[in-house]
Amino acid sequence: KQHGCVAKYSPARFDNSVIWLSRNDRGDGQISMLAEGYQPRVVSSAELNYQISTYSNIESAFGYSYQHEGHEFYVITFPTSNITWVYDASTQEWHQRGHTINDELGRERYNCHVFAFGEHLFGDYLNGNIYKLDGTIGTFNGTRVPRQRTTLSISDEEDRRRLSSLQLDMEEGQGSGNTANDDQYWLSYSKDGGHTFGSATMRNAGEGGDWARRVLWRRLGEARNWIFKI
């Protein structure tokens, strides 16, 4: 298989190999990685490939990689389309990252990364700041970092499914009373396969030491096609 490179700043050393945004004589927009025998292997999912196909000027994409807490990440940003995607070598799954820029959620603000002096350092293209990665801090430049997970569809084509409750399986009692370790979790859900979502409702996971608390929502109703956003 022949795989060239469509974005010259996208290649990065990753998981004892090389990863990049590829192009060949049959098309482009897939993210490839060298496998054993130096054969390229596509690691972007079909869903991500579709998303990339909708972006303009993918030649401007750039990537970097880093290791943190036992995971190795490849981060690729499409600046023209204002979006950032991340691949985890451990889970072999993709997720999206971003920052709020001009009151809108977009790409992440980091334009570069280096591991130096025993620290992960990231450069902010908006203001020139350099940030140090610290997994114990839940804020970015003093602002709380929100995280969102959306479930797959829970469906039953023949019957409506009644859900009396939903509980998050997690370690409660970890809040610290400040924005660094927020103990608020919000749930919204769709009953029509993700086309529309209701208003989000909050549950508290408990301040430090409140281990008996449960993060639980009750009386959700019934539907054929549930999707939950947390």
Side-chain angles (χ1 to χ4, degrees):
K1 296 180 180 179
Q2 296 177 345
H3 285 257
C5 181
V6 65
K8 63 181 179 180
Y9 296 117
S10 66
R13 289 183 294 177
F14 178 70
D15 197 27
N16 294 320
S17 184
V18 178
I19 190 170
W20 72 97
L21 182 61
S22 67
R23 165 181 282 167
N24 56 39
D25 57 2
R26 298 176 301 280
D28 59 18
Q30 295 179 320
I31 297 177
S32 299
M33 180 174 168
L34 286 182
E36 292 184 7
Y38 298 99
Q39 293 298 313
R41 174 174 60 91
V42 174
V43 296
S44 51
S45 64
E47 294 80 5
L48 179 55
N49 291 337
Y50 167 74
Q51 294 295 328
I52 294 174
S53 74
T54 67
Y55 301 159
S56 61
N57 189 24
I58 63 174
E59 291 87 353
S60 64
F62 62 89
Y64 63 86
S65 61
Y66 70 98
Q67 300 174 6
H68 183 59
E69 295 181 345
H71 293 260
E72 188 161 1
F73 299 103
Y74 172 66
V75 184
I76 183 167
T77 294
F78 298 84
T80 304
S81 299
N82 196 29
I83 197 163
T84 298
W85 290 95
V86 183
Y87 183 59
D88 186 338
S90 299
T91 64
Q92 298 184 4
E93 293 183 350
W94 289 88
H95 63 273
Q96 187 177 341
R97 295 182 186 174
H99 289 114
T100 300
I101 303 172
N102 296 327
D103 297 324
E104 292 186 6
L105 182 62
R107 53 163 285 191
E108 69 170 17
R109 291 168 55 160
Y110 310 136
N111 249 25
C112 55
H113 160 269
V114 64
F115 183 68
F117 316 109
E119 305 286 356
H120 289 285
L121 305 176
F122 299 83
D124 189 329
Y125 82 98
L126 279 177
N127 54 25
N129 285 352
I130 297 176
Y131 304 104
K132 181 180 73 173
L133 177 64
D134 187 338
T136 66
I137 297 176
T139 60
F140 167 75
N141 201 22
T143 302
R144 182 174 64 87
V145 178
R147 294 173 173 85
Q148 178 177 294
R149 292 295 299 267
T150 302
T151 70
L152 297 174
S153 171
I154 303 172
S155 61
D156 190 332
E157 295 183 358
E158 297 182 357
D159 248 340
R160 298 173 68 85
R161 178 173 299 185
R162 177 175 293 277
L163 297 181
S164 59
S165 63
L166 182 145
Q167 180 174 336
L168 293 187
D169 184 11
M170 60 178 297
E171 186 175 4
E172 296 85 353
Q174 299 298 311
S176 65
N178 58 47
T179 57
N181 289 298
D182 199 340
D183 56 355
Q184 293 182 351
Y185 288 79
W186 297 79
L187 173 74
S188 62
Y189 51 86
S190 170
K191 295 185 176 183
D192 54 16
H195 293 284
T196 60
F197 283 82
S199 299
T201 55
M202 187 270 289
R203 294 294 183 270
N204 192 291
E207 294 295 311
D210 189 7
W211 300 302
R213 184 180 293 271
R214 293 192 297 168
V215 183
L216 178 69
W217 290 264
R218 299 184 185 276
R219 291 183 290 184
L220 302 179
E222 61 180 28
R224 285 192 176 89
N225 196 348
W226 295 89
I227 292 181
F228 296 92
K229 187 182 296 182
I230 301 164

